[in-house]
Amino acid sequence: MRAPEGFLLGGIKREGIGVGLIFSERRCAVAGTFTENTLRAAPVEHSEEVCDRGVARGVIVNSGHANAMTGEEGYQDVLRTAEAIAELMGAPEDEIVVCSTGVIGERPPVDKIVRYAREVWEDIGPTERHVREFSRAIMTTDTEEKIALYEGDGWSLLGIAKGAGMIHPNMSTMLAFLLTDVGAKPKELQMWLRDVVNDTFNMITVDGDESTNDSVVLLANGSSNLKVGSDVTITEFQRALEEVCTELAEKIVRDGEGATKLMIVCVHGASNEVEARRAARAIASSNLVKAALFGENPNWGRIGAAVGAARVDVDPDELRIAFRSSEGEIVTYEGGPVDFDEEKAKRVLSASEVEIVVDLGVGDASARAWGCDLTYEYVRINAEYRT
Amino acid sequence: MRAPEGFLLGGIKREGIGVGLIFSERRCAVAGTFTENTLRAAPVEHSEEVCDRGVARGVIVNSGHANAMTGEEGYQDVLRTAEAIAELMGAPEDEIVVCSTGVIGERPPVDKIVRYAREVWEDIGPTERHVREFSRAIMTTDTEEKIALYEGDGWSLLGIAKGAGMIHPNMSTMLAFLLTDVGAKPKELQMWLRDVVNDTFNMITVDGDESTNDSVVLLANGSSNLKVGSDVTITEFQRALEEVCTELAEKIVRDGEGATKLMIVCVHGASNEVEARRAARAIASSNLVKAALFGENPNWGRIGAAVGAARVDVDPDELRIAFRSSEGEIVTYEGGPVDFDEEKAKRVLSASEVEIVVDLGVGDASARAWGCDLTYEYVRINAEYRT
């Protein structure tokens, strides 16, 4: 594994404070999607402006302090950070993306962060070690690194994410950085990124728990001398984006605090895509479904109730609900309750990755959502964690 | 305690099947609000039709089988039940409200239910014993009876509810029956009921977990010979409805499965009522806030994140977040983080009833929502419970 051509990375973490840097030897086209939380953090405001202009040279991420709900002073902290990093990278400060993750309401220790950044800068590079150092520097409650790589013919797309899902947003904002050495226009990148984020990262985020800092940033520096639309087909690039983001999304959910199982909800037969997405998210975010999964309990009634509560069009006579895993498949409802083999159901649900497959029976639209089980450990972590 | 004039009640429960009856000596004006779950149960369809016509003579409730997702056969079961009870009560079947609560996907054992109903009918009455028998017959996972009484001058309003909140819908649908001996027109009753339900029962129900069977039914038989609008002021009647429904709503939340604390969320300073309600519900239904409450942890950052995720208008410079209980009050954020006394915070949060008071700082609208904490016991109950 190696960073795409022309990207250098690095990071350090010390005493709960982490600093990660991404630098591109050439100016990049940049796109981003950011949290819609109305109390979003100061760095999000700044980074969205950078993405709106479409040009970036580098990224600084600090972990430990979210810099959310910190007012005007917090925004000044972002500008000071961007200025210092811009000087380091020899670029204007409005080309520096700034991301923070950590405790809400705490201002970042800018001087210390800049000092750490200078140290990282001394040893920045493109190798696997550098990529992993960046990855580890931005982690908070994560227990595993989340890295995904797509290798094209003469180009690549590298994704690095952090976040333990929708599960603990104020310490584990979801951040994802996507680096590619193809060339592309910022407006196109933005369009492709938005589509893919809607189908991946946004399908693991539950409304009520959206963080103040969630950010996904895509940088394309063109260092491979290949362009999307001519040398690389748009279809291939979109597929690469989708693959990398799907892999990162699954890794985030799997690392959900206290989670023991990955739940993949596949909704088919919806009357339109909006309803398919709503139904899939409703199932994946239902505490009752999540607790039943933890108990390895094929409770299809709760899935039905979640679908109905999502207010989507559904034909009870055509509705189908099934569970699927490496251990096989059981159908529990098919136009009516189905007598199923309890022993087999137990086996299917005992797998560490369980698919819930629901056909609403009214149309052709489908959607997928990712979730995890609700466990004692989740309650323990979140009851004990102190702001 | 006694039923309002002209109402007779009764109930029995045997081997997991309960049957409760409400009978009015006179025909009643009736109003109802029902779940908007698109997979709502067969009895809900029937009872809504009764309420649309505005006239009812009696109610039958069966517990143990939800009769949801049971198709056309389930609907026929409702009609057979209504016919049998209508015969018993000497009324047309379209004046019989039918409510069910229990396991989704199971048809009710109609013959047994009718047999039980005949037995209840033999000993139906207006005394406290009869009211309690009805209450116990309709309970499922409830651990306590939920009864509230308003006594006016020469009239009364009795409320009886069941349900362990939004916490376990397929065994504990929320049902509430409100009986009064004043006279009123069905259309007015419907209007008043809808308003009060919006501010009470609907503020304890979280979208994603709305049951297939939730129903609130208000019966007014006029047996006191007092009319709302002339003998009893509309204001007093509305206040009585609000008091009774608030008391029942709090009792339902307090009895939430595994709950150890009642959370009352008061949102002020919202730009309009819709946003006030949305913010209050978002806080009360956030797993992170609920787990923090269980841990007696004054985690205001999570409250801020929930407010922001609810996409409501809020001024961070005017925002105020406080915790209040019988042990005092602590302000944790007031235009910025506030240094507060950790010891006092611990004391405030140790109470069994905790208010979270949030001022959004942008307007005059307010709303209240009720919730409970998220506990190990909640996970245990819902992981182990088998459909």
Side-chain angles (χ1 to χ4, degrees):
Chain A
M1 185 176 63
R2 204 183 153 83
E5 202 56 40
F7 283 104
L8 305 174
L9 295 85
I12 54 173
K13 186 169 222 170
R14 227 173 265 154
E15 296 157 13
I17 294 179
V19 172
L21 290 184
I22 299 171
F23 172 67
S24 170
E25 291 166 353
R26 298 196 202 176
R27 293 170 87 211
C28 304
V30 62
T33 68
F34 300 92
T35 180
E36 291 176 25
N37 191 301
T38 50
L39 287 172
R40 61 199 207 157
V44 172
E45 299 292 343
H46 169 81
S47 297
E48 191 170 55
E49 285 167 23
V50 174
C51 291
D52 283 348
R53 283 187 299 266
V55 180
R57 193 64 187 277
V59 178
I60 175 162
V61 187
N62 72 285
S63 62
H65 304 77
N67 200 5
M69 299 179 74
T70 45
E72 177 56 26
E73 289 166 333
Y75 193 73
Q76 293 304 324
D77 290 337
V78 174
L79 295 185
R80 277 180 58 213
T81 306
E83 275 166 23
I85 303 307
E87 199 188 320
L88 213 57
M89 296 185 174
E93 69 230 34
D94 61 5
E95 294 184 7
I96 306 299
V97 173
V98 180
C99 296
S100 301
T101 172
V103 179
I104 290 179
E106 292 191 6
R107 289 174 58 195
V110 176
D111 292 339
K112 187 178 272 187
I113 288 168
V114 171
R115 216 161 55 234
Y116 284 15
R118 290 208 179 97
E119 205 175 312
V120 173
W121 181 250
E122 294 303 312
D123 182 39
I124 203 161
T127 69
E128 176 163 345
R129 170 175 72 82
H130 292 98
V131 171
R132 292 199 186 282
E133 278 174 2
F134 174 83
S135 172
R136 279 195 298 269
I138 68 173
M139 283 163 60
T140 51
T141 51
D142 307 64
T143 64
E144 282 177 19
E145 291 175 23
K146 296 159 189 85
I147 299 173
L149 178 67
Y150 178 92
E151 296 190 277
D153 186 8
W155 67 282
S156 66
L157 173 69
L158 174 69
I160 307 162
K162 60 88 46 184
M166 51 289 196
I167 278 183
H168 200 153
N170 59 349
M171 263 308 274
S172 71
T173 284
M174 199 276 292
L175 299 179
F177 303 96
L178 306 162
L179 315 179
T180 182
D181 47 15
V182 294
K185 296 201 183 74
K187 284 209 173 142
E188 289 174 336
L189 283 183
Q190 184 66 41
M191 197 172 63
W192 300 328
L193 180 65
R194 183 157 295 281
D195 281 351
V196 167
V197 167
N198 272 341
D199 287 341
T200 55
F201 296 119
N202 281 355
M203 294 305 281
I204 60 167
T205 302
V206 174
D207 283 351
D209 287 327
E210 192 185 24
S211 145
T212 51
N213 294 56
D214 291 341
S215 307
V216 179
V217 176
L218 169 58
L219 297 164
N221 68 4
S223 293
S224 67
N225 294 318
L226 299 175
K227 285 208 174 109
V228 179
S230 49
D231 312 302
V232 175
T233 66
I234 293 176
T235 309
E236 185 189 356
F237 186 73
Q238 287 177 311
R239 202 184 58 224
L241 257 188
E242 171 118 31
E243 276 184 30
V244 167
C245 291
T246 299
E247 191 176 333
L248 293 176
E250 287 197 358
K251 285 183 170 167
I252 289 171
V253 173
R254 248 184 224 287
D255 199 20
E257 277 149 9
T260 68
K261 285 178 196 295
L262 175 66
M263 163 180 19
I264 304 179
V265 179
C266 303
V267 169
H268 306 284
S271 60
N272 59 59
E273 213 184 299
V274 171
E275 296 205 346
R277 293 163 59 87
R278 200 158 71 225
R281 287 167 66 117
I283 295 166
S285 63
S286 160
N287 274 353
L288 292 164
V289 172
K290 292 169 69 168
L293 183 63
F294 175 53
E296 303 186 346
N297 171 345
N299 196 318
W300 61 267
R302 293 180 186 175
I303 295 169
V307 166
R311 311 262 198 283
V312 298
D313 196 16
V314 49
D315 180 349
D317 296 331
E318 298 292 329
L319 179 65
R320 187 175 185 279
I321 301 174
F323 295 88
R324 198 156 62 193
S325 78
S326 56
E327 301 298 312
E329 177 172 2
I330 48 156
V331 178
T332 57
Y333 188 94
E334 195 159 18
V338 173
D339 275 331
F340 55 85
D341 178 345
E342 294 273 342
E343 279 310 306
K344 186 174 175 199
K346 193 85 195 157
R347 263 200 327 277
V348 169
L349 285 160
S350 69
S352 70
E353 185 174 324
V354 176
E355 274 182 68
I356 295 176
V357 187
V358 177
D359 192 321
L360 301 178
V362 290
D364 296 320
S366 62
R368 207 163 31 151
W370 290 265
C372 57
D373 52 351
L374 176 62
T375 67
Y376 299 122
E377 187 63 7
Y378 173 85
V379 176
R380 192 190 62 74
I381 294 170
N382 286 296
E384 293 183 359
Y385 167 71
R386 214 69 163 68
T387 314
Chain B
M1 186 176 62
R2 204 183 153 82
E5 202 56 39
F7 283 103
L8 305 175
L9 295 86
I12 54 173
K13 186 169 222 169
R14 227 173 265 154
E15 296 157 15
I17 294 179
V19 172
L21 290 183
I22 298 172
F23 172 68
S24 170
E25 291 167 352
R26 299 196 202 177
R27 293 170 88 210
C28 304
V30 62
T33 68
F34 300 92
T35 180
E36 291 176 25
N37 191 301
T38 50
L39 287 171
R40 59 199 208 159
V44 172
E45 299 292 343
H46 169 82
S47 297
E48 191 171 55
E49 285 167 23
V50 174
C51 291
D52 283 349
R53 283 187 298 266
V55 180
R57 192 65 186 277
V59 178
I60 174 161
V61 187
N62 72 285
S63 62
H65 304 77
N67 200 4
M69 298 179 73
T70 46
E72 177 56 26
E73 289 166 332
Y75 193 72
Q76 293 304 323
D77 290 338
V78 175
L79 295 184
R80 277 180 58 213
T81 306
E83 275 166 23
I85 303 307
E87 199 189 319
L88 214 56
M89 295 185 174
E93 69 230 32
D94 61 5
E95 294 184 6
I96 306 299
V97 173
V98 180
C99 296
S100 301
T101 172
V103 179
I104 291 179
E106 292 192 6
R107 289 174 57 195
V110 176
D111 292 339
K112 188 179 271 187
I113 287 168
V114 171
R115 217 162 53 235
Y116 284 15
R118 290 208 180 98
E119 205 176 312
V120 173
W121 182 250
E122 294 303 313
D123 182 39
I124 203 162
T127 69
E128 176 163 345
R129 170 176 73 83
H130 292 98
V131 171
R132 291 199 186 283
E133 277 173 2
F134 173 83
S135 171
R136 279 195 299 270
I138 68 173
M139 283 163 61
T140 51
T141 51
D142 307 64
T143 65
E144 282 178 18
E145 291 174 24
K146 297 161 188 82
I147 299 172
L149 178 68
Y150 177 92
E151 295 190 276
D153 186 9
W155 67 282
S156 67
L157 173 69
L158 174 69
I160 307 162
K162 61 87 47 184
M166 50 289 196
I167 278 183
H168 200 153
N170 59 348
M171 265 307 275
S172 71
T173 284
M174 199 276 292
L175 299 179
F177 303 96
L178 305 162
L179 315 179
T180 182
D181 47 16
V182 295
K185 295 200 184 74
K187 284 207 173 146
E188 289 174 335
L189 284 183
Q190 184 66 40
M191 196 173 63
W192 300 328
L193 180 65
R194 183 157 294 281
D195 281 352
V196 167
V197 167
N198 272 341
D199 287 341
T200 55
F201 296 118
N202 281 355
M203 294 306 281
I204 60 167
T205 302
V206 174
D207 283 351
D209 287 327
E210 192 185 23
S211 145
T212 51
N213 294 56
D214 291 341
S215 306
V216 179
V217 176
L218 169 58
L219 298 164
N221 67 5
S223 293
S224 68
N225 294 319
L226 299 175
K227 285 209 173 106
V228 179
S230 48
D231 312 303
V232 175
T233 65
I234 293 176
T235 310
E236 185 189 356
F237 186 72
Q238 287 178 312
R239 202 184 60 225
L241 257 188
E242 171 119 31
E243 276 184 30
V244 166
C245 291
T246 300
E247 191 175 332
L248 294 176
E250 288 197 359
K251 284 183 171 168
I252 289 171
V253 173
R254 247 185 225 287
D255 199 20
E257 277 149 10
T260 68
K261 285 178 196 296
L262 175 66
M263 163 179 20
I264 304 179
V265 179
C266 303
V267 170
H268 306 284
S271 61
N272 58 58
E273 212 183 299
V274 171
E275 296 205 347
R277 294 163 59 87
R278 200 158 71 225
R281 287 168 66 117
I283 295 166
S285 62
S286 160
N287 274 353
L288 292 163
V289 172
K290 292 169 67 168
L293 183 63
F294 175 53
E296 304 186 346
N297 172 345
N299 196 318
W300 62 267
R302 293 180 187 176
I303 295 170
V307 166
R311 311 262 198 283
V312 297
D313 195 16
V314 48
D315 180 348
D317 296 331
E318 298 292 329
L319 178 65
R320 187 174 185 279
I321 301 174
F323 295 88
R324 198 156 61 193
S325 78
S326 57
E327 301 298 310
E329 177 172 3
I330 48 155
V331 178
T332 57
Y333 188 94
E334 195 159 18
V338 173
D339 276 331
F340 55 85
D341 179 345
E342 294 273 342
E343 279 309 306
K344 185 173 174 198
K346 193 84 195 157
R347 262 201 326 278
V348 169
L349 285 160
S350 69
S352 70
E353 185 174 324
V354 176
E355 274 182 68
I356 295 176
V357 187
V358 177
D359 191 321
L360 301 177
V362 289
D364 296 320
S366 62
R368 206 163 31 150
W370 290 265
C372 57
D373 51 352
L374 176 62
T375 67
Y376 298 122
E377 187 64 7
Y378 172 85
V379 175
R380 192 190 62 74
I381 293 170
N382 286 295
E384 292 183 358
Y385 167 70
R386 213 68 162 69
T387 315

